[in-house]
Amino acid sequence: MSKRFLLLTLVGLLVLSIAPMLAVAQDDDTITIGFLPGVVDPFYQVMEIGVRQAVEDSALPVELVVQIPENFNPSVQTPILDALVARGDLDYLIIAATDKEQLIAPLQAAHDAGIEIISVDTFIGDGDYVNGPVTFPLSYIGSDNVEGGRIAAEALAENVGGTGKVYIQNVTPGISTTDQRAQGFREGIAEFPDMEVVSEDFNNDDENTSVQQTSATLERESDLVGIFGTNVFSANGAGIAVQNAGLSDAVDVIAFDATTFAVEQLRAGVVSLVIAQKPFDMGYLAVQFAIAHNQGVSSLPKRVPTGYAVIDIENVDDPEVARFIYQVE
Ligand code: T6T
């Protein structure tokens, strides 16, 4: 055997023996992040754009696993979460929990399996990840929803001259965000002695249900002056019902979430205020938090409120405001 052949054989054997180690080393460097939002809607679609942009901008290798539930429901979201944990490769999970109590145990199990949890949009427990009953998630990045409800109440009260009956079109009890929006709204309306919240309905995140419930309320409460729609489908349905009843001049609608449909209704005079959240920022920051944590940053804030853009007919064409409309195309 020639010396040259012997040398090549030895190098070949060496490469073969360390190749698996090299592969493992490469895998270990990749940060694997799961993204599990609440449902398919324009709000979470924009959040996903933010998530993907942050992954693209990352100087470090990131693998992203996205799973989107068909319905906004903990019994749909939990098995998807369990399956993500069962993959065994996630380092981080960015999740909008669809129920503040029911998702605690499955997320605790994910955390026990070694996955770091970042809450976006919604929280679990009471959302206080420093002193509250649930502290294991790394952070809660999302709107201040009590404040959002108060913004809605103050605008509505001003529009109707501080007097009259109002109605809340809501999603499902137990969702942290929409519970807090209704709470903030009720607190805001309570400051006006001549105003009253006559009722609140829950549409289970279904626009048609929102239309039906709002239409029934409009028939029952002939002197209703305003409606707060607490999210995309609640607000869409409320607006459609008011429009169908020909009551756009008599009933003021405040829409939470800046879909293009809500903005159309603003221009049509059905909706008077559109409250835009910042889902892109939520998604982008969440990925950056995961990467920072992976790199050893140990003092990430446990709560990051992302703020609002409040859109009305006066400012809807201002590019600095219009950029917060949820554009998904
Ligand atoms: O309003 C958002 C989100 O903040 C909420 O938690 C659930 O509903 C939306 O996704 C809008 O449909």
Side-chain angles (χ1 to χ4, degrees), residues 248-267:
S248 308
D249 291 339
V251 181
D252 194 60
V253 179
I254 307 285
F256 213 94
D257 286 312
T259 57
T260 49
F261 183 72
V263 171
E264 268 171 38
Q265 292 212 311
L266 176 74
R267 292 189 191 282

mmCIF file of all heavy atoms in Angstrom, residues 248-267:
data_model
loop_
_atom_site.group_PDB
_atom_site.id
_atom_site.type_symbol
_atom_site.label_atom_id
_atom_site.label_comp_id
_atom_site.label_asym_id
_atom_site.label_seq_id
_atom_site.Cartn_x
_atom_site.Cartn_y
_atom_site.Cartn_z
ATOM 1 N N SER A 248 -76.985 53.137 11.152
ATOM 2 C CA SER A 248 -75.639 53.728 11.255
ATOM 3 C C SER A 248 -75.644 55.124 11.881
ATOM 4 O O SER A 248 -74.695 55.497 12.567
ATOM 5 C CB SER A 248 -74.996 53.841 9.877
ATOM 6 O OG SER A 248 -75.041 52.617 9.237
ATOM 7 N N ASP A 249 -76.723 55.866 11.671
ATOM 8 C CA ASP A 249 -76.754 57.220 12.244
ATOM 9 C C ASP A 249 -77.121 57.218 13.727
ATOM 10 O O ASP A 249 -76.791 58.153 14.451
ATOM 11 C CB ASP A 249 -77.764 58.105 11.485
ATOM 12 C CG ASP A 249 -77.255 58.402 10.079
ATOM 13 O OD1 ASP A 249 -76.027 58.283 9.862
ATOM 14 O OD2 ASP A 249 -78.090 58.715 9.207
ATOM 15 N N ALA A 250 -77.787 56.147 14.159
ATOM 16 C CA ALA A 250 -78.293 56.132 15.546
ATOM 17 C C ALA A 250 -77.387 55.356 16.504
ATOM 18 O O ALA A 250 -77.365 55.630 17.710
ATOM 19 C CB ALA A 250 -79.694 55.508 15.566
ATOM 20 N N VAL A 251 -76.658 54.380 15.971
ATOM 21 C CA VAL A 251 -75.873 53.507 16.855
ATOM 22 C C VAL A 251 -74.394 53.601 16.480
ATOM 23 O O VAL A 251 -74.006 53.341 15.338
ATOM 24 C CB VAL A 251 -76.357 52.029 16.746
ATOM 25 C CG1 VAL A 251 -75.552 51.139 17.676
ATOM 26 C CG2 VAL A 251 -77.840 51.920 17.060
ATOM 27 N N ASP A 252 -73.594 53.963 17.467
ATOM 28 C CA ASP A 252 -72.156 54.162 17.257
ATOM 29 C C ASP A 252 -71.410 52.842 17.511
ATOM 30 O O ASP A 252 -71.616 52.215 18.555
ATOM 31 C CB ASP A 252 -71.709 55.228 18.271
ATOM 32 C CG ASP A 252 -70.350 55.771 17.958
ATOM 33 O OD1 ASP A 252 -70.176 56.331 16.872
ATOM 34 O OD2 ASP A 252 -69.453 55.616 18.804
ATOM 35 N N VAL A 253 -70.565 52.422 16.582
ATOM 36 C CA VAL A 253 -69.821 51.162 16.766
ATOM 37 C C VAL A 253 -68.332 51.451 16.946
ATOM 38 O O VAL A 253 -67.733 52.165 16.131
ATOM 39 C CB VAL A 253 -70.021 50.203 15.565
ATOM 40 C CG1 VAL A 253 -69.237 48.914 15.762
ATOM 41 C CG2 VAL A 253 -71.497 49.897 15.341
ATOM 42 N N ILE A 254 -67.762 50.886 18.010
ATOM 43 C CA ILE A 254 -66.314 50.986 18.220
ATOM 44 C C ILE A 254 -65.728 49.602 17.919
ATOM 45 O O ILE A 254 -66.133 48.598 18.520
ATOM 46 C CB ILE A 254 -65.977 51.360 19.685
ATOM 47 C CG1 ILE A 254 -66.730 52.617 20.142
ATOM 48 C CG2 ILE A 254 -64.457 51.493 19.861
ATOM 49 C CD1 ILE A 254 -66.235 53.922 19.612
ATOM 50 N N ALA A 255 -64.777 49.563 16.988
ATOM 51 C CA ALA A 255 -64.219 48.275 16.547
ATOM 52 C C ALA A 255 -62.819 48.066 17.115
ATOM 53 O O ALA A 255 -61.924 48.895 16.890
ATOM 54 C CB ALA A 255 -64.169 48.233 15.025
ATOM 55 N N PHE A 256 -62.638 46.965 17.831
ATOM 56 C CA PHE A 256 -61.290 46.585 18.240
ATOM 57 C C PHE A 256 -60.696 45.775 17.095
ATOM 58 O O PHE A 256 -61.370 44.895 16.553
ATOM 59 C CB PHE A 256 -61.353 45.722 19.514
ATOM 60 C CG PHE A 256 -60.165 45.936 20.408
ATOM 61 C CD1 PHE A 256 -60.212 46.838 21.444
ATOM 62 C CD2 PHE A 256 -58.981 45.257 20.180
ATOM 63 C CE1 PHE A 256 -59.107 47.065 22.254
ATOM 64 C CE2 PHE A 256 -57.871 45.472 20.974
ATOM 65 C CZ PHE A 256 -57.931 46.374 22.027
ATOM 66 N N ASP A 257 -59.467 46.053 16.743
ATOM 67 C CA ASP A 257 -58.715 45.406 15.658
ATOM 68 C C ASP A 257 -58.927 46.096 14.312
ATOM 69 O O ASP A 257 -60.061 46.295 13.875
ATOM 70 C CB ASP A 257 -59.023 43.910 15.522
ATOM 71 C CG ASP A 257 -58.382 43.105 16.644
ATOM 72 O OD1 ASP A 257 -57.188 43.321 16.897
ATOM 73 O OD2 ASP A 257 -59.072 42.274 17.268
ATOM 74 N N ALA A 258 -57.793 46.413 13.692
ATOM 75 C CA ALA A 258 -57.809 47.242 12.488
ATOM 76 C C ALA A 258 -57.750 46.415 11.209
ATOM 77 O O ALA A 258 -56.763 46.472 10.459
ATOM 78 C CB ALA A 258 -56.650 48.228 12.542
ATOM 79 N N THR A 259 -58.813 45.658 10.968
ATOM 80 C CA THR A 259 -58.871 44.940 9.697
ATOM 81 C C THR A 259 -59.238 45.929 8.587
ATOM 82 O O THR A 259 -59.774 47.012 8.848
ATOM 83 C CB THR A 259 -59.958 43.853 9.744
ATOM 84 O OG1 THR A 259 -61.198 44.496 10.070
ATOM 85 C CG2 THR A 259 -59.640 42.804 10.776
ATOM 86 N N THR A 260 -59.002 45.498 7.356
ATOM 87 C CA THR A 260 -59.381 46.380 6.242
ATOM 88 C C THR A 260 -60.912 46.531 6.209
ATOM 89 O O THR A 260 -61.427 47.580 5.824
ATOM 90 C CB THR A 260 -58.860 45.823 4.905
ATOM 91 O OG1 THR A 260 -59.205 44.451 4.821
ATOM 92 C CG2 THR A 260 -57.360 45.976 4.789
ATOM 93 N N PHE A 261 -61.625 45.497 6.683
ATOM 94 C CA PHE A 261 -63.090 45.590 6.719
ATOM 95 C C PHE A 261 -63.536 46.652 7.733
ATOM 96 O O PHE A 261 -64.430 47.461 7.456
ATOM 97 C CB PHE A 261 -63.708 44.231 7.064
ATOM 98 C CG PHE A 261 -65.210 44.241 7.059
ATOM 99 C CD1 PHE A 261 -65.914 44.329 5.871
ATOM 100 C CD2 PHE A 261 -65.933 44.189 8.252
ATOM 101 C CE1 PHE A 261 -67.311 44.366 5.864
ATOM 102 C CE2 PHE A 261 -67.323 44.219 8.254
ATOM 103 C CZ PHE A 261 -68.011 44.309 7.053
ATOM 104 N N ALA A 262 -62.897 46.659 8.897
ATOM 105 C CA ALA A 262 -63.246 47.667 9.914
ATOM 106 C C ALA A 262 -62.986 49.070 9.370
ATOM 107 O O ALA A 262 -63.769 50.003 9.612
ATOM 108 C CB ALA A 262 -62.445 47.424 11.185
ATOM 109 N N VAL A 263 -61.915 49.213 8.622
ATOM 110 C CA VAL A 263 -61.592 50.528 8.060
ATOM 111 C C VAL A 263 -62.608 50.920 6.978
ATOM 112 O O VAL A 263 -63.028 52.079 6.895
ATOM 113 C CB VAL A 263 -60.135 50.557 7.544
ATOM 114 C CG1 VAL A 263 -59.848 51.827 6.762
ATOM 115 C CG2 VAL A 263 -59.170 50.416 8.718
ATOM 116 N N GLU A 264 -63.057 49.928 6.193
ATOM 117 C CA GLU A 264 -64.123 50.209 5.206
ATOM 118 C C GLU A 264 -65.371 50.711 5.923
ATOM 119 O O GLU A 264 -66.036 51.646 5.482
ATOM 120 C CB GLU A 264 -64.531 48.914 4.486
ATOM 121 C CG GLU A 264 -63.792 48.627 3.212
ATOM 122 C CD GLU A 264 -64.133 47.217 2.713
ATOM 123 O OE1 GLU A 264 -65.304 46.791 2.836
ATOM 124 O OE2 GLU A 264 -63.211 46.541 2.243
ATOM 125 N N GLN A 265 -65.670 50.064 7.053
ATOM 126 C CA GLN A 265 -66.865 50.470 7.804
ATOM 127 C C GLN A 265 -66.688 51.847 8.458
ATOM 128 O O GLN A 265 -67.663 52.566 8.650
ATOM 129 C CB GLN A 265 -67.209 49.402 8.842
ATOM 130 C CG GLN A 265 -67.681 48.118 8.167
ATOM 131 C CD GLN A 265 -68.691 47.377 9.004
ATOM 132 O OE1 GLN A 265 -68.473 47.156 10.193
ATOM 133 N NE2 GLN A 265 -69.797 46.995 8.399
ATOM 134 N N LEU A 266 -65.450 52.170 8.768
ATOM 135 C CA LEU A 266 -65.157 53.512 9.289
ATOM 136 C C LEU A 266 -65.448 54.542 8.195
ATOM 137 O O LEU A 266 -66.120 55.553 8.421
ATOM 138 C CB LEU A 266 -63.685 53.580 9.715
ATOM 139 C CG LEU A 266 -63.161 54.924 10.201
ATOM 140 C CD1 LEU A 266 -63.685 55.241 11.598
ATOM 141 C CD2 LEU A 266 -61.628 54.924 10.238
ATOM 142 N N ARG A 267 -64.972 54.245 7.000
ATOM 143 C CA ARG A 267 -65.187 55.180 5.879
ATOM 144 C C ARG A 267 -66.674 55.274 5.518
ATOM 145 O O ARG A 267 -67.143 56.307 5.061
ATOM 146 C CB ARG A 267 -64.395 54.732 4.652
ATOM 147 C CG ARG A 267 -62.884 54.859 4.840
ATOM 148 C CD ARG A 267 -62.173 54.602 3.523
ATOM 149 N NE ARG A 267 -60.736 54.445 3.700
ATOM 150 C CZ ARG A 267 -59.885 55.447 3.871
ATOM 151 N NH1 ARG A 267 -60.328 56.684 3.885
ATOM 152 N NH2 ARG A 267 -58.595 55.207 4.017
#
